Amino acid sequence: MLSHSLHYVIFVIAVFALYWAVHRHFWPRMLVLLVASLVLYTGFTQLPTLVAQGNVTLKALLLAGLPLLIFLTGVTVDHLLVKGLGRTDRPGVRKLLVVLSIVSNLGMLAGFKYLELLRKTALAVLGPWGVEVRPEPFHLLLPVGLSFFVFQSISYTVDVYRGKASSGHSFVEHLLYMLFFPRVVSGPIVRASELMAHFREVPTLTPDDGGKAMFRIAVGLVKKLIIADVLGSGIVDPVFGSPHAYSSAECAVAAVAYTLELYYDFSGYSDIAIGVAALFGFRFPENFARPYLAKNLFEFWNRWHMSLSSWLRDYLYIPLGGNRRSKPRVLFNLMMVMVLGGLWHGADWRFAVWGAVHGVALCAVRCWWWFRGKQPEPGPVRVGLGMLATFTLVVLTRVVFRAPDMTHAGEFYARMLAGIPGLANVGPLVWTMLAVAIVAHTLPMKVYDLTALAFLKLPAPARAVVLVLIGLGIRQLSTLEARPYVYLQF
């Protein structure tokens, strides 16, 4: 169930009513959230429709339940290891339990997400040499959101080991932490200290907090359904689908449009997740901070998908040695983080290429800083050039991210650099949405804060009218067909 659909709105309203009816009692409110999360994760909200259409078979139910069974098994193993970690003071045993937890999580991720990639790679590399490699695909069912679950599980285990999180949580709390429905599938990646620590607190929701949450959800819906979807259907999909049918200028516009679409699509998802979580008394971390205004690539990664960037920093870059080792080792650490971070997005070597390009660029920036030494604050011209260079690199590498394969990406680059003029296929609505996207991204945050404050000062009936008007505007301007979130494919 997509979080920008009407079904999701109805679902959240029903869960909201049940939750606040029992919110003073720990187990009832936990069970409401857990059942809601399981229902949303398994897709059983669509069961009545499927039954009415006669589309439900025993095989379909088994196929739907198998990924859930795999997920529950993984959580059970991890829970037992974390419990054992919290009960022993022996350093050797503690380290062994952490290693077992990390290996089991990464093993499950590698098996279900990357085994097919390894089979294809082995077939392509070893096949010509006469080495026998399985020719048929494995046809494994990938549990939805497995990458996010694995990252959250590893962070929880490591935080318990470091003393930053408690192991004294029940299996239900552990399961809910992994499956909490507002951010299931695509994040943000929430640390145990940011979510599990608040499970036992009696939640509260003031009128202002509720108003802020509704405003945040409305902003997320506008980002997704108006800006991202119009750019996606209006220019990105057709041009990336057949780049040879469009001019070089139109390909360049499509590359910029995809870069903006990806931001508004994913940040819109994050806004909705943060807003819905706030309706239940939970505070999620911010996931974006106007990344396309970054002055360099390091700043970009500190502003883009911040929950993932901070995870890679805390649980991969720093354990590798971070900035504390020799200069060659620092550069190696940067490359490792970016290549693995690229592969995390999908079981395809083009994601590793995308990550490697960013890694090389980050290493180049780091070497330049070492060479220059400490410099005074840059002036407006240098800041502007830095922003332009960073945005250009991000746009060009996004082509690899969007194209179905490297061959297609190469064709797109060749067409974009062919020097063919003409923008006849870029319609007025696309131009308008590009302008809206750029202006909305560059506005000072104070403008958003003042807009939210003005919304909160309205009486409740007026707030309702504003939300209805936003809904009508979305229906008028958005595409007729609900488009899935772009990040769901990663």
Side-chain angles (χ1 to χ4, degrees):
M1 188 193 303
L2 300 175
S3 64
H4 57 278
S5 66
L6 182 60
H7 290 94
Y8 184 79
V9 173
I10 297 171
F11 174 80
V12 169
I13 291 173
V15 177
F16 180 86
L18 286 172
Y19 177 80
W20 288 106
V22 299
H23 76 281
R24 295 185 181 279
H25 308 284
F26 173 72
W27 281 113
R29 70 172 181 264
M30 290 291 292
L31 290 175
V32 167
L33 292 179
L34 182 58
V35 170
S37 300
L38 287 168
V39 165
L40 191 69
Y41 178 68
T42 56
F44 278 114
T45 50
Q46 306 301 318
L47 192 58
T49 304
L50 294 173
V51 170
Q53 296 173 348
N55 293 331
V56 176
T57 64
L58 179 60
K59 181 180 179 181
L61 289 174
L62 288 174
L63 289 175
L66 185 58
L68 178 61
L69 178 62
I70 295 165
F71 166 74
L72 291 175
T73 302
V75 176
T76 303
V77 170
D78 196 59
H79 180 70
L80 294 174
L81 291 172
V82 169
K83 280 293 185 184
L85 182 62
R87 290 176 183 147
T88 179
D89 294 326
R90 297 171 63 184
V93 175
R94 288 175 62 81
K95 188 171 289 188
L96 176 62
L97 291 172
V98 171
V99 170
L100 287 174
S101 176
I102 293 174
V103 169
S104 65
N105 277 286
L106 293 180
M108 183 168 61
L109 181 64
F112 284 96
K113 189 171 183 177
Y114 299 105
L115 189 60
E116 183 62 22
L117 173 64
L118 294 176
R119 184 196 67 80
K120 290 180 180 178
T121 304
L123 186 63
V125 173
L126 301 178
W129 295 89
V131 179
E132 186 175 346
V133 179
R134 176 189 172 101
E136 301 87 10
F138 288 105
H139 298 298
L140 296 176
L141 287 171
L142 179 65
V144 178
L146 182 60
S147 297
F148 283 94
F149 294 145
V150 166
F151 274 28
Q152 288 201 150
S153 181
I154 291 175
S155 70
Y156 178 36
T157 306
V158 173
D159 283 353
V160 170
Y161 177 74
R162 292 172 176 173
K164 295 181 179 180
S166 170
S167 63
H169 298 286
S170 66
F171 178 73
V172 171
E173 291 170 287
H174 193 156
L175 182 58
L176 183 58
Y177 161 68
M178 298 288 289
L179 206 60
F180 192 38
F181 78 87
R183 59 98 184 94
V184 71
V185 180
S186 292
I189 300 171
V190 185
R191 309 287 179 91
S193 59
E194 296 168 337
L195 185 59
M196 294 181 75
H198 302 292
F199 280 159
R200 293 187 178 271
E201 299 175 359
V202 177
T204 58
L205 184 67
T206 66
D208 279 355
D209 290 338
K212 290 177 184 177
M214 295 300 295
F215 182 81
R216 190 67 179 268
I217 293 169
V219 169
L221 290 172
V222 170
K223 283 182 177 181
K224 164 61 181 170
L225 293 174
I226 295 182
I227 301 177
D229 282 5
V230 169
L231 290 176
S233 61
I235 185 72
V236 175
D237 289 354
V239 176
F240 273 90
S242 303
H244 58 274
Y246 295 87
S247 70
S248 301
E250 288 165 345
C251 287
V253 170
V256 173
Y258 176 66
T259 303
L260 294 169
E261 178 200 6
L262 190 61
Y263 165 73
Y264 281 100
D265 185 279
F266 196 16
S267 68
Y269 175 97
S270 298
D271 286 337
I272 295 171
I274 292 169
V276 171
L279 288 177
F280 293 88
F282 296 95
R283 184 174 180 178
F284 278 4
E286 295 294 334
N287 216 20
F288 293 91
R290 299 192 295 171
Y292 298 145
L293 299 183
K295 299 184 289 295
N296 57 68
L297 204 56
F298 280 95
E299 186 180 337
F300 170 79
W301 282 109
N302 285 329
R303 291 166 171 247
W304 174 271
H305 199 351
M306 294 188 292
S307 64
L308 174 61
S309 296
S310 63
W311 193 99
L312 291 172
R313 179 197 65 211
D314 294 344
Y315 302 101
L316 183 56
Y317 183 69
I318 291 177
L320 284 173
N323 299 330
R324 302 185 305 275
R325 303 292 182 89
S326 64
K327 290 180 179 179
R329 180 58 184 269
V330 170
L331 300 181
F332 171 80
N333 293 343
L334 282 173
M335 286 299 301
M336 281 290 292
V337 168
M338 294 313 300
V339 171
L340 292 176
L343 272 176
W344 173 84
H345 285 84
D348 193 308
W349 290 118
R350 65 189 169 91
F351 291 112
V353 171
W354 170 79
V357 172
H358 273 265
V360 170
L362 287 169
C363 289
V365 172
R366 178 69 72 184
C367 289
W368 175 245
W369 288 349
W370 287 334
F371 174 76
R372 286 173 53 211
K374 189 173 183 179
Q375 295 286 318
E377 285 295 318
V381 174
R382 284 177 56 193
V383 168
L385 290 175
M387 290 170 59
L388 179 61
T390 302
F391 184 70
T392 301
L393 176 66
V394 171
V395 170
L396 292 176
T397 54
R398 289 274 193 243
V399 172
V400 176
F401 210 74
R402 175 60 175 77
D405 50 55
M406 291 301 296
T407 301
H408 193 96
E411 293 173 355
F412 190 95
Y413 283 128
R415 189 68 176 179
M416 187 166 57
L417 298 174
I420 303 171
L423 292 167
N425 293 300
V426 185
L429 182 58
V430 171
W431 283 121
T432 301
M433 214 50 63
L434 282 169
V436 169
I438 293 169
V439 170
H441 196 71
T442 55
L443 282 175
M445 287 305 300
K446 188 176 180 180
V447 174
Y448 291 96
D449 294 338
L450 291 174
T451 305
L453 183 61
F455 177 78
L456 292 176
K457 288 183 176 180
L458 293 173
R463 290 185 197 176
V465 171
V466 170
L467 293 175
V468 169
L469 290 175
I470 291 174
L472 292 174
I474 289 173
R475 180 169 182 174
Q476 185 68 27
L477 293 173
S478 66
T479 55
L480 295 176
E481 187 177 330
R483 293 166 57 88
Y485 287 102
V486 176
Y487 245 76
L488 288 182
Q489 63 186 292
F490 306 131

